[in-house]
């Protein structure tokens, strides 16, 4: 998989050199290229923003650097991947479609993702129209219902969620099957040794005895029931409208 990130803060993406993603890059499983949008400006101040036409607070990102950046990144990627390969262009945006585990699953199958990090109030709308005219596939993705200062933190989160699903990146692929959101539910509670733990307050805490029973069928059933109960309590929305108040007729 190839991932390009276009940003005015390339240093913000430094964590992509660490841990699981850093190792995946060194192993050649994912090629991450971070680009400074200001490289596609031509004035002395390397200007990427201007005040909103029609008035209003804040600044808007100018279209010209973005158009040049996409053309250059597309050409660069196609030299590496092949002239017939096209990227999915992702704009992190609080007004986008909620990013979820299903999105991560889908995008982990992509050969090429290009992330475009907006800052300020946003990007001139004509950039999206231009890219659509050129035939780019575009997605606007939101992390949730709150506002960040720019797309960079969202790119870190989305990239981590996507790359860990690329085959070979997570050593124990089985661990991806039972985690939260993999089956539309939250994960069951986890325990390890010691089976009896005397906590610092002097309370003796046992793990649920069933986990020591060796009965794998019963353990699986218990875990499923725990996952369901936890999901009902914390995230009833994941279980669908059956449990919603007032859904009964
Ligand atoms: Cl993807 N971007 C920004 N700027 N703010 C957000 C977000 C994304 N998701 C939630 N808030």
């Amino acid at each position: 998989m190839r991932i390009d990130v276009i940003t005015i803060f390339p240093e913000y993406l430094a964590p992509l050199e660490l841990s699981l993603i850093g190792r995946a890059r060194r192993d050649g499983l994912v090629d991450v290229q971070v680009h400074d949008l200001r490289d596609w400006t031509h004035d002395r101040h390397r200007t990427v923003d201007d005040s909103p036409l029609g008035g209003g607070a804040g600044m808007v990102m100018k279209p010209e650097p973005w158009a040049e950046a996409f053309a250059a990144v597309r050409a660069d990627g196609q030299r590496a991947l092949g002239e017939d390969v096209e990227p999915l262009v992702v704009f992190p945006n609080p007004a986008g479609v909620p990013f979820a585990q299903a999105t991560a699953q889908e995008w982990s199958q992509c050969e090429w993702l290009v992330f475009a990090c907006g800052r300020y109030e946003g990007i001139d709308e004509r950039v999206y129209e231009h890219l659509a005219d050129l035939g780019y596939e575009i997605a606007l993705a939101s992390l949730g219902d709150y506002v960040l200062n720019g797309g960079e933190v969202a790119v870190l989160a989305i990239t981590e969620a996507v790359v860990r699903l690329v085959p070979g990146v997570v050593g124990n692929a089985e661990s991806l099957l039972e985690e939260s959101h993999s089956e539309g539910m939250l994960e069951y509670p986890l325990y390890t040794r010691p089976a009896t733990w005397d906590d610092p307050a002097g309370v003796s805490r046992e793990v649920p005895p069933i986990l020591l029973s060796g009965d794998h069928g019963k353990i699986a059933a218990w875990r499923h029931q725990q996952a369901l109960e936890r999901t009902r309590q914390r995230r009833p929305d994941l279980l669908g409208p059956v449990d919603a108040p007032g859904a009964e007729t």
Side-chain angles (χ1 to χ4, degrees), residues 10 18-19 34 52 62 91 119 149 168 207 213 243:
L18 303 176
S19 187
V34 179
K62 295 163 62 61
F91 291 90
R119 280 262 151 184
N149 283 331
V207 306
S213 70
D243 283 335

Side-chain angles (χ1 to χ4, degrees), residues 103-123:
T103 329
Q105 297 277 8
E106 187 185 326
W107 292 355
S108 71
Q109 318 273 319
C110 290
E111 188 171 359
W112 187 11
L113 299 173
V114 174
F115 290 103
C117 298
R119 280 262 151 184
Y120 314 113
E121 303 310 307
I123 301 171

Side-chain angles (χ1 to χ4, degrees), residues 18 36 47 52 59-60 92 112 140 161 200-201 212 219 247:
L18 303 176
D36 188 342
T47 310
M59 299 293 270
V60 176
W112 187 11
L140 265 70
L212 308 174
I219 292 171

Side-chain angles (χ1 to χ4, degrees), residues 29-112:
L29 294 168
V30 53
D31 175 14
V32 180
Q33 302 287 334
V34 179
H35 311 271
D36 188 342
L37 179 67
R38 293 189 200 276
D39 290 350
W40 292 285
T41 59
H42 304 285
D43 63 311
R44 206 155 48 85
H45 301 291
R46 311 225 291 162
T47 310
V48 293
D49 63 328
D50 201 343
S51 47
L53 289 176
M59 299 293 270
V60 176
M61 296 192 99
K62 295 163 62 61
E64 304 95 321
W66 281 112
E68 280 195 41
F70 284 117
V73 167
R74 179 169 181 262
D76 193 48
Q78 287 185 336
R79 269 192 296 276
L81 301 172
E83 299 296 319
D84 55 330
V85 181
E86 297 289 346
L88 170 65
V89 180
V90 178
F91 291 90
N93 192 311
V97 178
F99 178 80
Q101 190 65 17
T103 329
Q105 297 277 8
E106 187 185 326
W107 292 355
S108 71
Q109 318 273 319
C110 290
E111 188 171 359
W112 187 11

Side-chain angles (χ1 to χ4, degrees), residues 91-97 99 118-120 140-155 158:
F91 291 90
N93 192 311
V97 178
F99 178 80
R119 280 262 151 184
Y120 314 113
L140 265 70
S142 168
L143 289 193
D145 295 337
Y146 48 85
V147 178
L148 305 169
N149 283 331
E152 288 78 7
V153 165
V155 169
I158 293 171

Side-chain angles (χ1 to χ4, degrees), residues 143-174:
L143 289 193
D145 295 337
Y146 48 85
V147 178
L148 305 169
N149 283 331
E152 288 78 7
V153 165
V155 169
L156 291 176
I158 293 171
T159 299
E160 183 156 317
V162 168
V163 168
R164 63 194 292 283
L165 299 179
V166 171
V169 170
V170 166
N172 181 2
E174 263 180 51

